[in-house]
Amino acid sequence: MATTNPLQFIQQVRAEVAKVVWPTRREVMLTTVMVFILAALTAVFFATVDIIIRSGLQAVLNVFG
């Protein structure tokens, strides 16, 4: 493995960081809102499935219990 001195390393790191395309504030806000919306929809979906399974299981237990 090739070794580099600390000054070369820092120069290489700065060159790579300069290549990064940082998102705009609008893009960050939009993706954050989308994450919260999808998390809420997922929570509603699993809560609905849980209620349906619980109701079905209670109906079965009432018939045989």
Side-chain angles (χ1 to χ4, degrees):
M1 202 193 276
T3 59
T4 59
N5 65 31
L7 183 60
Q8 287 176 333
F9 175 74
I10 291 172
Q11 289 172 344
Q12 290 173 356
V13 167
R14 290 188 69 174
E16 290 298 318
V17 169
K19 295 177 187 177
V20 174
V21 179
W22 298 100
T24 63
R25 180 177 294 270
R26 178 169 158 58
E27 291 172 335
V28 172
M29 291 301 293
L30 187 65
T31 54
T32 301
V33 168
M34 289 303 297
V35 166
F36 280 117
I37 289 171
L38 290 176
L41 289 174
T42 303
V44 168
F45 171 76
F46 282 114
T48 304
V49 169
D50 182 53
I51 290 169
I52 291 169
I53 291 173
R54 186 174 11 149
S55 298
L57 185 58
Q58 283 178 345
V60 168
L61 290 176
N62 285 339
V63 168
F64 294 109

